[in-house]
Amino acid sequence: LEIRRMRPIAVTKRVQESWVASGEKRLLVWLAGRTPQQIGPDHLTLLGFFAQVGAGLFYALALGNRFWLVAVIACLALNWLGDSLDGTVARVRQSLRPRYGFYVDHMVDSFGAVALMGGLALSGYMHPFLAAGLLVAFLMLSIQSYLATHTLGEFRLSFWRFGPTELRILLAIGNVALFWKPRVHFIGGHYRLFDVGGMIGLLGMSIMVIFFTVQNTLRLHREERISR
């Protein structure tokens, strides 16, 4: 255990190029400096997790009362706070635990994504098969990112300027629109708003998975070319 604890961690480059990254980073550092000492990174991780589970629960409850969509927006805000601030607090306090933090944070994200998409599938605002497809695409994109972290030493937090924060913002805006107009006219027909948005999101994530898989495969092939 002591040998494993002392084993050096490979240097990993964090790639964060989303639209709001620079402003978000300054805000998180400001918040981390003002977070009470008794609140640690683990508390914030749990806050983010339970907020995401709450968002899924409130989506399911929205089947009977659309006012629960407002509670979903509040949960998305709390999820951003906990999920984004935990690592910043650890870095500001110089109390990083790289292996522990990486593993726990991303397993929590995976369980939270299951809860969120499960709630959407039960909400009546999105077809269950589409919610399942979005979950699979998210997990595939996550797997690609984790493998790239291990093989390339690059942990990508955003893809084509879109990161978790942008997705939360889009989902919150979608909730506001959903509250007033759950169905929209699209390509000659009327569809559920979240079905249209979900199809666009599924297509986008699928393209990202394929693009970055091919890009990283070619890069690794060049870097580990066998000389004959």
Side-chain angles (χ1 to χ4, degrees):
L1 177 62
E2 188 63 26
I3 292 172
R4 189 163 64 243
R5 185 180 295 128
M6 296 301 294
R7 186 177 59 198
I9 302 297
V11 176
T12 300
K13 177 183 177 183
R14 291 167 59 89
V15 181
Q16 173 60 291
E17 302 169 338
S18 66
W19 294 104
V20 301
S22 59
E24 181 182 31
K25 183 177 180 179
R26 290 193 296 270
L27 175 60
L28 289 172
V29 170
W30 184 86
L31 289 171
R34 288 156 179 78
T35 301
Q37 284 294 322
Q38 58 267 33
I39 298 178
D42 285 347
H43 300 113
L44 293 165
T45 299
L46 287 174
L47 170 64
F49 172 67
F50 286 118
Q52 195 166 11
V53 171
L57 174 63
F58 293 139
Y59 266 131
L61 292 174
L63 177 64
N65 188 334
R66 62 178 180 173
F67 282 93
W68 286 111
L69 295 173
V70 179
V72 172
I73 296 175
C75 284
L76 291 174
L78 290 174
N79 173 251
W80 169 82
L81 181 65
D83 188 48
S84 302
L85 190 58
D86 55 1
T88 306
V89 166
R91 283 188 288 275
V92 167
R93 296 179 182 175
Q94 297 183 350
S95 59
L96 285 170
R97 292 185 286 175
R99 289 193 299 271
Y100 171 84
F102 187 88
Y103 182 83
V104 171
D105 194 46
H106 294 101
M107 285 307 301
V108 163
D109 285 346
S110 298
F111 284 116
V114 172
L116 181 65
M117 290 299 106
L120 266 174
L122 296 172
S123 69
Y125 292 107
M126 178 181 285
H127 195 285
F129 287 169
L130 182 53
L134 285 168
L135 176 61
V136 170
F138 168 79
L139 294 176
M140 287 290 291
L141 198 59
S142 298
I143 292 169
Q144 188 285 137
S145 180
Y146 305 151
L147 290 174
T149 302
H150 177 71
T151 57
L152 297 171
E154 290 183 359
F155 178 45
R156 183 172 289 276
L157 293 129
S158 60
F159 299 87
W160 295 337
R161 307 298 298 274
F162 276 91
T165 301
E166 284 80 7
L167 292 177
R168 293 186 188 97
I169 292 171
L170 287 176
L171 192 55
I173 293 172
N175 272 11
V176 174
L178 189 65
F179 191 85
W180 301 108
K181 195 172 183 180
R183 301 186 72 86
V184 294
H185 182 77
F186 184 73
I187 313 180
H190 283 83
Y191 305 94
R192 285 179 291 199
L193 173 64
F194 268 26
D195 280 349
V196 175
M199 283 300 300
I200 295 172
L202 180 58
L203 178 62
M205 284 196 289
S206 299
I207 293 173
M208 288 177 185
V209 171
I210 295 170
F211 175 84
F212 284 99
T213 298
V214 172
Q215 181 187 67
N216 292 335
T217 299
L218 293 175
R219 177 177 169 183
L220 288 166
H221 176 70
R222 288 193 301 268
E223 292 180 359
E224 295 188 338
R225 189 182 299 275
I226 300 176
S227 301
R228 297 185 183 277

